[in-house]
Amino acid sequence: MALSPVVTTTSSASNQPLENLQTLRPVSSPLKNLASGSGQTSSNGTPKPALAPAAAPTSQTLPPTLDLAEQMNEEEKRKYVKGKKLGEGTYAVVFLGHLRSNPAARVAIKKIKVQKEYTEGMAPDAVRELKHLQELQHPNIISLLSVFSSKDQNLNLVLEYLPLGDLELLIRDTDNVRYGAADIKAWMGMLTRAVWFCHENFVLHRDIKPNNLLIAADGEVKLADFGLARSFADPHRHMTSNVITRWYRPPELLFGARYYSGAVDVWSVGTVFAELILRAPYMPGNNELDQIKMICESIGTPTEDNWPGVTRLPEYTVPGQHPTRGRDWYEMRFGIVGTDGVDLLIKTLALNPQKRITAREMLKHRWWHSEPKPTRKDDLPRKDVGAGEDKMGMDLKRRPGMVADDDRGAKVARKLDFGQR
Amino acid sequence: MATEDERYRQSSQFRLWSFSPTSLRELRVKTNDLAKQQISPRFAPDAQPEFLTPAEETMLVQFFTTELIRAAQFCELPTEIRSTAAVFFRRFYITNSVMTYPPTELLKTSLFFGCKAEGYYIRLAKLAEMFPNTTSEQILAGEFLLCQGIRFAFDVRHPFRALEGAVLELRKRLPEEEGRVAKAHALARDILKFSPLLTDAYFHYTPSQIMMAALLMVDKELVDMLIPVSPPGDDGQHEASHAEMREKIMKTIESCRSMLEKEPPQRMKDHWETPDLVKSMKPLRKKLQKCRDTDRADLVALQRARREQATTKVKKPTPQSDGAVFGDAVEARDPKRRKLEAANDLFGPTL
């Protein structure tokens, strides 16, 4: 399928280094790989019966003590070699790894820890992440190359290796990293295509923010961390409003809306857009009330006039009346992306989700075609590999919905729920 | 080629869980063989039990799928979740044998995990309460096993939304025949709630093919309307290729229909829930009782053993290396460690 319906990309090299990896995803008949693989001891955990002959697993075949399901798991596991640890948090440990058959093909292995405090089995974050990454394949979405379980019953996600850190790293490093309107346009193009693809596949990401946008070796931005994602709900089935990291959370969620749409992600995209321009979080509220206050001040107070029905949302409260900001006000602050860029920003930050631009409409916006053309991905500003590698470790080990690293996450009790009944 | 087809081919349902009838049969035979190979050494050579055949395993899985459906109805789970749970259950037993892992347990685990995969967070304890003699621990013991068995593919594509789409389309084209469309809608939905789960339909056909097959069972003309003989607004140029494609599609839908017709929804009451059927399952269940993998029948104990195995494996080398490096300070902690290892023996030899 097409990568996006419109949008000009000044893409250059078509030979992605990861292309050979992409094809490694398990395909069609699971019987295909059964014959190969080399000897390993049993991982099924059943203590061997006394009568069983002590077969020395030296041959190239898998031990016969494995069920078919276990053999398949073993096959996947054996395709990769685990390397050094890139980061460790309470949620996951991230390792560098490579293909056994080709040591030059690097991967990141994210081992999800068993969550002791969650007593209901496999953590919902892990289930969501796996569920959606299994289905979404797009150049701007992190690729899940494989999944396997290790002996200690931990989940291992083999993800594509993205060594150049994330967008947050670039935004914050104002001393060393310079970027301009063409670079912002290129990054926004990649982010918008990622979100468009999610929505096209009926998936809401619900945690879009700069440190979930990782950067590949060739400069391509990839949306990661699907731990809060969900499929579009059927009508009348409500969803939790406690999603999306606060600074990037749209007003309808702050007001406790239980029925919402892709517009929630578009708002986050708008706040990321603003952050790319300002090089600082646009609306960094200290708590939810403060967040609403900042939205009212920066954009305007949601009222029945500009958003019919808003006062009936479960948690509607506003600190005071601020007029909706006019175009001039935006031009003054965000003018570096040009009039067209400002127009797109205003449309993504529409208070009323019904009036907010959709991802598909975003891709059709004239900004992409106006001057300057977006930077080619190889020419985008970047950090060096070392810094990026650590950052990837940090990003991947994080729990979804967290602003910073685990230390901070541990202190601020986790406020995101999973809609427990 | 339609991009929707391409997109479906990227789904885990197509990549990992769609087979030709032959390869599905081969998988089941292989699973059955491996189970026999593993269980056989647990019995004396002169006292080998009679093992289940692949066909008998399939029969049992089918029977337990009806139990799962009934359990889901009892727990008042929504249709999609019930179907997801049933598909998980059936996928699990493609690469795992009924003789290895007890279907009565996996059935409950499938229900629980089906809810989780669909983002419907029912409390574990609440679910356990619904079943007689069931603890939360028992339901959870099989969870990881199930996840591995279904190859970590948690997204199942059902034909229900396809049906809603087709019905919208039909309402538009047949504004005069509201009643007819409504009736077809209800009947087709009943079929989709049961027949594809009891047969191998999900393994061989796409959701839209399954939906069309169900519609074909209730009102063939409606299918003709949705898949017209001549391409709409065509100048005759593509007629040949359209006819060829249509024939292929109709053939596929027809074969899916004959599969679904083997298990129409009324079979639940007329067949699966009858005392005769329950009685006829008895010998099979008895046979299973005798030939099953006794070491792996108790999922709770198995889960505990696997955990122990994982932790002791990591800890074992530390006493010497720590002692060598740090000397007495660490040695002092050793008795405690030994005690821990002794405690592990509780689960060790008995299994």
Side-chain angles (χ1 to χ4, degrees), chain A residues 60-78:
Chain A
Q60 281 291 300
T61 52
L62 290 163
T65 55
L66 294 183
D67 297 323
L68 196 48
E70 290 162 343
Q71 287 186 14
M72 286 173 181
N73 183 61
E74 207 59 30
E75 280 291 336
E76 285 304 316
K77 187 155 107 189
R78 291 200 51 78

Side-chain angles (χ1 to χ4, degrees), chain B residues 225-268:
Chain B
M225 194 162 292
L226 291 167
I227 311 172
V229 176
S230 59
D234 191 69
D235 48 6
Q237 212 181 340
H238 306 291
E239 210 151 317
S241 66
H242 176 87
E244 197 184 315
M245 182 59 97
R246 185 179 190 276
E247 197 192 335
K248 212 170 140 189
I249 291 171
M250 292 311 284
K251 227 171 108 187
T252 309
I253 297 174
E254 281 289 353
S255 74
C256 180
R257 178 181 74 156
S258 49
M259 179 175 277
L260 298 184
E261 271 173 350
K262 290 195 184 108
E263 290 293 337
Q266 52 279 21
R267 285 260 295 175
M268 187 69 173

Side-chain angles (χ1 to χ4, degrees), chain A residues 1-2 25-31 33-34 42-53 63-73 76 114 118-128 130-138 144 147-156 196-197 200-202 230-235 237 418-421, chain B residues 3 6-7 10-19 23 26-28 30-31 34-35 37-38 40-45 80-81 92 94-97 100-101 112-113 116-126 140-141 143-145 147-149 151-157 161 293 295-296 302-303 305-307 309-311 313-314 347-348 351:
Chain A
M1 88 178 282
R25 287 178 65 128
V27 283
S28 55
S29 164
L31 265 182
N33 300 321
L34 282 182
S42 161
S43 76
N44 75 18
T46 309
K48 288 202 182 82
L51 280 168
T65 55
L66 294 183
D67 297 323
L68 196 48
E70 290 162 343
Q71 287 186 14
M72 286 173 181
N73 183 61
E76 285 304 316
V114 175
Y118 187 75
T119 53
E120 309 250 316
M122 196 182 283
D125 330 38
V127 175
R128 295 177 138 136
L130 257 175
K131 175 174 172 178
H132 298 295
L133 284 184
Q134 283 272 32
E135 313 300 320
L136 298 170
Q137 291 156 69
H138 184 274
L144 177 71
V147 194
F148 60 81
S149 54
S150 40
K151 250 176 229 180
D152 42 357
Q153 296 217 328
N154 275 316
L155 264 181
N156 291 266
W196 166 78
F197 191 78
E200 198 75 357
N201 287 281
F202 311 105
R230 66 158 294 149
S231 310
F232 285 19
D234 279 321
R237 220 183 123 187
F418 295 105
Q420 294 275 15
R421 292 149 209 260
Chain B
T3 57
E6 278 171 46
R7 215 183 294 172
Q10 292 199 342
S11 70
S12 58
Q13 182 155 318
F14 180 80
R15 286 185 293 117
L16 306 173
W17 291 107
S18 296
F19 316 96
S23 58
E26 281 169 3
L27 276 174
R28 284 178 171 145
K30 178 139 191 163
T31 297
L34 280 167
Q37 269 181 51
Q38 283 204 49
S40 178
R42 291 170 217 282
F43 295 89
E80 296 238 354
I81 293 169
F92 179 83
I94 299 274
T95 52
N96 289 284
S97 166
T100 313
Y101 296 111
F112 176 65
F113 194 73
K116 212 188 251 184
E118 293 287 341
Y120 185 91
Y121 296 102
I122 186 167
R123 283 260 168 221
L124 178 60
K126 204 175 134 200
L140 220 48
E143 191 189 45
F144 199 85
L145 201 62
C147 289
Q148 182 178 296
R151 306 191 75 195
F152 305 105
F154 303 155
D155 191 58
V156 183
R157 311 276 169 112
R161 277 186 179 164
D293 187 336
D295 288 342
R296 286 194 271 182
L302 179 67
Q303 174 72 353
R306 282 180 176 170
R307 285 258 165 83
Q309 204 181 42
T311 43
K313 198 201 119 225
V314 179
F347 304 103
L351 275 171

Side-chain angles (χ1 to χ4, degrees), chain A residues 63-379:
Chain A
T65 55
L66 294 183
D67 297 323
L68 196 48
E70 290 162 343
Q71 287 186 14
M72 286 173 181
N73 183 61
E74 207 59 30
E75 280 291 336
E76 285 304 316
K77 187 155 107 189
R78 291 200 51 78
K79 277 187 201 158
Y80 304 94
V81 179
K82 204 179 258 182
K84 74 169 180 189
K85 197 190 276 185
L86 293 179
E88 174 159 9
T90 51
Y91 175 62
V93 196
V94 184
F95 298 91
L96 184 64
H98 62 81
L99 266 182
R100 190 174 295 276
S101 60
N102 174 15
R106 297 178 144 195
V107 296
I109 300 177
K110 175 171 170 174
K111 178 169 163 178
I112 295 176
K113 291 184 172 180
V114 175
Q115 299 293 298
K116 293 237 163 58
E117 73 275 23
Y118 187 75
T119 53
E120 309 250 316
M122 196 182 283
D125 330 38
V127 175
R128 295 177 138 136
E129 180 159 23
L130 257 175
K131 175 174 172 178
H132 298 295
L133 284 184
Q134 283 272 32
E135 313 300 320
L136 298 170
Q137 291 156 69
H138 184 274
N140 297 112
I141 292 173
I142 190 168
S143 297
L144 177 71
L145 304 164
S146 177
V147 194
F148 60 81
S149 54
S150 40
K151 250 176 229 180
D152 42 357
Q153 296 217 328
N154 275 316
L155 264 181
N156 291 266
L157 276 54
V158 184
L159 297 160
E160 68 177 307
Y161 176 65
L162 304 170
L164 295 184
D166 59 32
L167 268 191
E168 187 190 37
L169 198 67
L170 295 174
I171 294 170
R172 299 279 181 274
D173 192 359
T174 45
D175 291 339
N176 303 306
V177 179
R178 301 253 171 278
Y179 61 76
D183 304 316
I184 294 175
K185 192 178 284 183
W187 286 325
M188 281 301 294
M190 298 192 261
L191 168 57
T192 309
R193 286 195 290 277
V195 175
W196 166 78
F197 191 78
C198 289
H199 293 178
E200 198 75 357
N201 287 281
F202 311 105
V203 173
L204 300 175
H205 185 279
R206 306 198 300 182
D207 200 15
I208 293 165
K209 55 184 173 184
N211 62 4
N212 277 342
L213 294 162
L214 308 192
I215 306 172
D218 61 354
E220 192 85 44
V221 168
K222 317 249 175 180
L223 183 56
D225 198 342
F226 281 69
L228 285 175
R230 66 158 294 149
S231 310
F232 285 19
D234 279 321
H236 312 301
R237 220 183 123 187
H238 76 231
M239 302 181 264
T240 173
S241 55
N242 222 345
V243 286
I244 306 188
T245 307
R246 194 191 312 119
W247 301 346
Y248 308 92
R249 201 180 298 171
E252 64 268 31
L253 292 185
L254 291 162
F255 293 149
R258 310 295 276 171
Y259 306 95
Y260 50 83
S261 66
V264 298
D265 283 338
V266 171
W267 176 277
S268 306
V269 173
T271 55
V272 171
F273 190 11
E275 185 165 337
L276 275 168
I277 300 169
L278 302 172
R279 298 197 71 159
Y282 182 33
M283 294 176 279
N286 295 319
N287 52 52
E288 284 172 35
L289 279 180
D290 191 39
Q291 192 64 37
I292 294 172
K293 186 165 152 268
M294 291 194 106
I295 291 175
C296 293
E297 286 166 3
S298 316
I299 295 167
T301 301
T303 61
E304 283 294 321
D305 284 339
N306 57 28
W307 180 355
V310 65
T311 55
R312 291 196 304 275
L313 285 174
E315 286 149 48
Y316 177 77
T317 40
V318 287
Q321 298 297 319
H322 297 271
T324 310
R325 296 286 182 185
R327 199 161 287 262
D328 297 351
W329 191 85
Y330 285 94
E331 291 273 4
M332 237 155 63
R333 277 158 191 80
F334 303 102
I336 65 155
V337 291
T339 317
D340 290 339
V342 168
D343 181 74
L344 182 59
L345 177 67
I346 293 171
K347 286 179 169 146
T348 55
L349 293 177
L351 293 170
N352 182 350
Q354 303 242 3
K355 298 227 180 86
R356 210 171 292 151
I357 193 169
T358 64
R360 175 178 280 273
E361 287 160 358
M362 279 185 80
L363 291 176
K364 291 181 185 156
H365 196 273
R366 61 182 182 275
W367 182 50
W368 313 108
H369 301 275
S370 60
E371 288 298 323
K373 289 268 174 280
T375 312
R376 291 151 42 106
K377 65 184 177 199
D378 310 83
D379 301 333

